[in-house]
Amino acid sequence: MVVQLLILFLFYHGVVVRDSNCMAEALSDSGSANAPTIESVRESLIRQEDTIVFGLIERARFPINSPTYSASYAKIPGFTGSLAQFVAHETEALQAKAGRFTSPEENPFFPKDLPASLVPSQNHTGVLHPSAASININKSIWDFYFDKLLALFAVPGDDGNYAATAASDLVCLQALSRRIHYGKFVAEVKFKESPKEYEPAIRAKNRDALMKLLTVESVEEAVKKRVAKKAMVFGQEVTLNSTDGSNGKYKVDPSVLSRLYAEWVMPLTKLVQVEYLLRRLD
């Protein structure tokens, strides 16, 4: 009964629907039969910025709501962990049945014992090197989100909306996971563009050399500025009496988005790229 109520709650709040729509949109970028291109990868990354910004804005509606993350609060029969973990675990189980994790763009936070897909899957073979499936850094994403990021944009307090809070957290986590693991596609495109440039570092297992090849500081600066501006535009407090529409008030501080990308999203994306490239010639 608890699981059934949770599923109804998640569908009511659009979590499953929104994620499935995002997944379909992302797949249209890379295609199930064609390899990703520079243009399709760039467009997908930019759209994923929107999803992340909106996700943080939605989560910022609620205060921290600490009981959501306490195992002593939930005490769910047959499950050990917090309400946030329970929501993520059960939602991923449902989404796995719907085929979400058959996509190379999706990586579960609780991969152990995920149920098999019950729907026909698309053909994703040939998009990435088979070793891509072994790269999953969601533990690092989970840790930085709850240990460092959340307190930067959610205000202290407790309003009792723990289930809605956990659902909003999962939207953010899955959006961040999709964006960071999209580094596999970025790495594939870059490798195919210049294989001779990457092969020596790959064969030498030289992580530092690969990281240097993958880092373009001017691009990273542009990304940080763009996500901060999106936070200003998407998260402004609109009033009929103001001329600029915001009065300097935003639902999420734009500097948080810039910091999110600078300290976590881009470094972890490059980590995924390096791990992928190290396996690319296997």
Side-chain angles (χ1 to χ4, degrees):
M1 177 60 72
V2 173
V3 175
Q4 292 173 333
L5 290 173
L6 172 64
I7 291 172
L8 289 173
F9 172 84
L10 293 173
F11 270 106
Y12 178 79
H13 284 270
V15 175
V16 176
V17 174
R18 277 181 293 179
D19 281 334
S20 62
N21 288 340
C22 290
M23 179 172 63
E25 180 182 275
L27 283 172
S28 68
D29 294 335
S30 59
S32 59
N34 300 317
T37 65
I38 280 288
E39 190 61 29
S40 69
V41 166
R42 182 183 298 113
E43 289 177 357
S44 180
L45 292 175
I46 291 174
R47 283 201 297 272
Q48 289 180 57
E49 292 170 3
D50 300 351
T51 305
I52 290 171
V53 173
F54 280 121
L56 265 61
I57 289 172
E58 283 296 298
R59 175 59 183 86
R61 293 169 50 218
F62 307 103
I64 289 292
N65 283 339
S66 297
T68 309
Y69 317 112
S70 172
S72 62
Y73 164 76
K75 295 182 179 178
I76 299 168
F79 184 86
T80 302
S82 66
L83 181 60
Q85 291 171 318
F86 176 73
V87 168
H89 182 274
E90 298 301 316
T91 303
E92 286 191 340
L94 172 63
Q95 292 173 340
K97 292 180 181 180
R100 176 172 188 152
F101 300 109
T102 62
S103 166
E105 298 185 17
E106 303 293 342
N107 296 265
F109 284 87
F110 294 89
K112 186 178 180 182
D113 300 326
L114 271 181
S117 173
L118 301 179
V119 301
S121 62
Q122 298 185 46
N123 178 22
H124 302 303
T125 59
V127 178
L128 295 174
H129 189 279
S131 63
S134 66
I135 302 171
N136 185 333
I137 64 167
N138 272 341
K139 184 182 185 305
S140 296
I141 296 171
W142 183 282
D143 289 345
F144 89 71
Y145 177 84
F146 288 112
D147 296 345
K148 298 177 181 178
L149 177 63
L150 187 57
L152 298 180
F153 69 94
V155 299
D158 186 332
D159 66 2
N161 290 306
Y162 306 140
T165 295
S168 293
D169 283 326
L170 183 57
V171 170
C172 294
L173 285 164
Q174 290 184 323
L176 288 167
S177 175
R178 187 183 307 111
R179 168 59 179 82
I180 290 168
H181 287 100
Y182 210 80
K184 302 173 190 179
F185 290 89
V186 177
E188 178 66 18
V189 168
K190 290 185 176 181
F191 176 81
K192 284 187 174 179
E193 275 198 332
S194 309
K196 293 182 179 179
E197 188 175 2
Y198 285 92
E199 284 181 5
I202 294 172
R203 297 186 189 283
K205 304 296 182 185
N206 191 332
R207 294 173 179 271
D208 292 337
L210 288 173
M211 189 65 74
K212 186 175 181 180
L213 287 170
L214 294 166
T215 301
V216 183
E217 292 184 359
S218 60
V219 172
E220 293 183 358
E221 286 301 315
V223 170
K224 288 189 291 184
K225 291 178 181 179
R226 186 169 62 235
V227 295
K229 187 169 184 178
K230 287 183 177 182
M232 293 180 187
V233 175
F234 301 160
Q236 58 185 311
E237 295 287 354
V238 178
T239 63
L240 296 177
N241 297 323
S242 64
T243 55
D244 64 357
S246 68
N247 287 326
K249 295 180 180 180
Y250 304 101
K251 296 179 177 69
V252 173
D253 189 332
S255 67
V256 171
L257 268 299
S258 180
R259 182 176 174 184
L260 165 61
Y261 269 73
E263 295 187 16
W264 297 297
V265 172
M266 291 190 291
L268 288 176
T269 300
K270 287 190 289 186
L271 174 62
V272 167
Q273 292 180 61
V274 169
E275 292 302 319
Y276 178 82
L277 289 171
L278 288 173
R279 298 164 170 82
R280 183 59 178 75
L281 300 179
D282 291 351

